Amino acid sequence: MVTNLFFAMSLAGSTVFLLYMLVSVVAKNYVSLRWRYRMLKIAAAFYLLPIPNYKFYILQVVALFYPGVWDKVARLYDDMDKDCVLLVGSDFVQFSVGYKRTLVFVGLIWIVSVVLMHRRIRQYQQWKTACGIGAKLPTDREQEIFLKVKNETGIKKKVRFICSQHCSSPMVSGIISPVLIVPLEGDMEKQENYEYIFKHELVHIKHHDLFIRYLGLLVMSLHWFNPFVYLMFHEISVISEMYCDSMVVKGKGEEARREYGELILTLAAHKKEDHKETLFSNMVNSRSKHMYRRRILEMKRHTKQKAVLSAVLTGLICISGVMTVFAYKTPMVVSGIIERGPCDDIWFIPESEEEPEEELVSDYYFTADSGKVYDLTNPAENQRTECSHKFSIPGTIKKHERDGKGGCSIKTYDALRCSKCSERKIVKLNNIVTYMICPHS
């Protein structure tokens, strides 16, 4: 069973992503790009959110509708994982071997994640700064077309529009303060080409695609050991581009779709390869020829969109991710007493609730399994003799202790008594009963 939260998150996210890939192959003619994009966002959420930590809350909600479920899983609360334990006592802290290994591995994951994330962000900042150097304002014609398309797209927030010599293809940068950057020397003669480009990039802003891409980068940095996260990040980039393409050509005829496809290929032919553009969104950021072909074929496909089917498949994918969450064993916080026994062994005794008053023979006594009671508070009884000791009489020792605040506790030990003398041997601490107010005289 997976006992680490981080690996459970990685497993749940990978399950959702693999199911998305299955849907993309089997039912892509019936599931729209919008729903496929949503599935990818759900996969990213499973990678990032500690949903496994709340699995028992999920079960409790399910139990409201199916009461029998809780009876079957409630026993999980009583099953404590002893391979990964942190014991905190009054005078010591002790880690299990499994706990130490987990800390070391998780620490390694976080170090690598921080390094990867820092490297990506630094590259992005350098590239953004380079694009701003020598930037010029667009021409009046470009500005007019840009404002026209911006209003048609329904974007209310301010979007800065600049031209840069360091930009080889139109792109969008920034989340809070978005900037549209186009090449300084454009060779587009048709106004339609400008409209296509501007709408594509503005749709990225409207759908918050850059923010989703940042989340994808965060997933890739945190789960760098999982090969599926790299595929998911690439798929998020491609699907977001395809979704924008679909919005640009929506309602247009075959001729307009052909012109738009040719524009993508033209821009791709002039684009320079630069991995620093990972955190930008642009029309030709997919470096594979197969991806360009995929985008153009998607524009020509007439999808028989089934909203109900898409919603059902998305729901099933979510349920599958949640079911995977049950592979995680939630850490338990148990109230009790931790004491050191003979040879420095650690004893953990769950603290019992206050029980009805228990009649005591004395404050310290041994009761044999046969029922015979030996008072251990009597000094004569406790006097040791020269004896080879044969601990053959099983029984229990009860020790009554007052806490000085009006309460008390009764500790019960499993023990053995010597058959030749009064010597006792404690085997283990078995139980502790506490009283807020001591009822014993």
Side-chain angles (χ1 to χ4, degrees):
M1 175 170 290
V2 180
T3 56
N4 185 275
L5 171 64
F6 200 73
F7 288 107
M9 291 164 57
S10 192
L11 177 62
S14 298
T15 300
V16 174
F17 175 67
L18 290 174
L19 289 174
Y20 156 81
M21 294 297 291
L22 179 63
V23 169
S24 297
V25 173
V26 176
K28 64 181 178 182
N29 291 329
Y30 302 98
V31 180
S32 66
L33 288 166
R34 181 179 182 182
W35 279 98
R36 288 155 66 183
Y37 197 17
R38 286 174 176 171
M39 293 176 186
L40 287 171
K41 293 176 184 177
I42 292 171
F46 273 97
Y47 276 117
L48 293 175
L49 300 177
I51 300 175
N53 218 21
Y54 301 96
K55 85 172 184 180
F56 283 112
Y57 294 104
I58 297 173
L59 290 173
Q60 287 175 348
V61 173
V62 174
L64 294 177
F65 302 95
Y66 303 98
V69 172
W70 185 250
D71 296 334
K72 297 179 180 179
V73 300
R75 64 176 66 96
L76 294 176
Y77 278 113
D78 300 324
D79 184 16
M80 186 170 66
D81 185 3
K82 299 178 179 63
D83 294 330
C84 190
V85 177
L86 169 63
L87 294 178
V88 180
S90 58
D91 59 347
F92 69 92
V93 176
Q94 182 166 320
F95 298 88
S96 68
V97 175
Y99 197 96
K100 292 178 181 178
R101 290 174 180 171
T102 299
L103 289 178
V104 171
F105 197 80
V106 171
L108 175 63
I109 289 175
W110 277 101
I111 291 173
V112 175
S113 300
V114 170
V115 171
L116 292 175
M117 197 71 178
H118 177 266
R119 181 171 174 268
R120 291 278 188 172
I121 293 177
R122 186 176 180 182
Q123 288 179 340
Y124 165 71
Q125 290 174 339
Q126 291 174 346
W127 183 252
K128 186 176 180 180
T129 301
C131 288
I133 296 175
K136 295 184 180 180
L137 295 176
T139 63
D140 292 339
R141 177 169 174 257
E142 290 173 335
Q143 185 69 27
E144 181 182 351
I145 299 173
F146 168 73
L147 292 176
K148 172 179 175 291
V149 176
K150 181 174 179 288
N151 292 331
E152 291 176 352
T153 309
I155 297 177
K156 304 297 182 181
K157 68 190 312 183
K158 181 179 179 181
V159 179
R160 189 182 172 200
F161 178 24
I162 62 174
C163 302
S164 173
Q165 61 182 353
H166 296 281
C167 174
S168 59
S169 65
M171 63 179 61
V172 174
S173 169
I175 297 176
I176 300 176
S177 301
V179 180
L180 172 60
I181 310 171
V182 298
L184 186 59
E185 297 180 358
D187 57 356
M188 293 173 291
E189 298 179 356
K190 294 183 179 180
Q191 176 175 328
E192 289 80 4
N193 289 344
Y194 280 104
E195 292 182 357
Y196 290 149
I197 290 173
F198 293 156
K199 185 167 185 178
H200 181 100
E201 302 303 335
L202 289 171
V203 169
H204 275 307
I205 295 175
K206 185 175 181 179
H207 294 165
H208 310 288
D209 290 338
L210 274 175
F211 176 70
I212 301 301
R213 192 166 297 185
Y214 268 95
L215 293 181
L217 178 61
L218 180 60
V219 169
M220 195 165 58
S221 297
L222 291 176
H223 300 269
W224 52 267
F225 55 88
N226 187 338
F228 293 115
V229 299
Y230 300 93
L231 296 175
M232 189 194 73
F233 183 79
H234 177 70
E235 189 69 9
I236 285 177
S237 300
V238 175
I239 291 296
S240 66
E241 297 298 331
M242 293 169 64
Y243 187 22
C244 289
D245 292 339
S246 68
M247 298 302 293
V248 172
V249 300
K250 184 178 181 180
K252 298 186 180 295
E254 293 298 328
E255 181 63 22
R257 292 172 181 264
R258 183 187 62 79
E259 290 180 356
Y260 182 71
E262 290 178 354
L263 175 61
I264 292 176
L265 295 177
T266 300
L267 292 173
H270 293 85
K271 178 178 171 57
K272 298 176 182 179
E273 298 293 342
D274 198 325
H275 294 272
K276 294 178 182 178
E277 297 182 7
T278 303
L279 294 180
F280 290 83
S281 286
N282 53 63
M283 290 180 64
V284 289
N285 66 346
S286 300
R287 300 176 177 85
S288 170
K289 293 181 180 179
H290 172 71
M291 290 301 104
Y292 293 131
R293 181 172 178 272
R294 183 179 169 187
R295 289 175 62 184
I296 292 175
L297 289 177
E298 185 67 34
M299 282 189 293
K300 294 180 178 180
R301 179 181 291 111
H302 296 283
T303 306
K304 301 175 183 179
Q305 298 183 12
K306 304 289 185 180
V308 176
L309 175 63
S310 300
V312 170
L313 289 175
T314 303
L316 291 175
I317 286 177
C318 288
I319 293 173
S320 299
V322 172
M323 294 299 293
T324 309
V325 163
F326 292 162
Y328 174 65
K329 198 169 191 178
T330 309
M332 298 176 66
V333 178
V334 185
S335 175
I337 306 298
I338 302 173
E339 291 196 354
R340 290 187 181 275
C343 302
D344 271 351
D345 292 335
I346 300 299
W347 286 344
F348 180 82
I349 308 91
E351 186 174 358
S352 62
E353 297 180 356
E354 183 173 310
E355 296 182 357
E357 179 181 343
E358 180 178 358
E359 185 177 351
L360 301 177
V361 175
S362 69
D363 286 340
Y364 189 36
Y365 62 96
F366 175 87
T367 303
D369 286 352
S370 62
K372 188 174 181 179
V373 178
Y374 301 86
D375 189 354
L376 304 181
T377 59
N378 188 337
E381 176 68 14
N382 291 328
Q383 184 178 0
R384 296 190 179 190
T385 60
E386 294 296 331
C387 181
S388 59
H389 297 314
K390 183 179 180 181
F391 296 104
S392 59
I393 304 176
T396 58
I397 290 178
K398 287 189 179 292
K399 189 174 183 180
H400 176 239
E401 297 177 340
R402 293 176 175 82
D403 60 12
K405 300 179 181 179
C408 68
S409 63
I410 300 175
K411 296 182 180 179
T412 303
Y413 301 85
D414 289 338
L416 296 171
R417 188 176 189 275
C418 178
S419 60
K420 299 179 181 180
C421 68
S422 60
E423 188 66 21
R424 290 86 47 202
K425 178 182 179 181
I426 292 177
V427 178
K428 69 174 182 178
L429 181 58
N430 186 45
N431 187 33
I432 297 178
V433 179
T434 58
Y435 296 89
M436 298 299 294
I437 301 177
C438 179
H440 311 99
S441 57

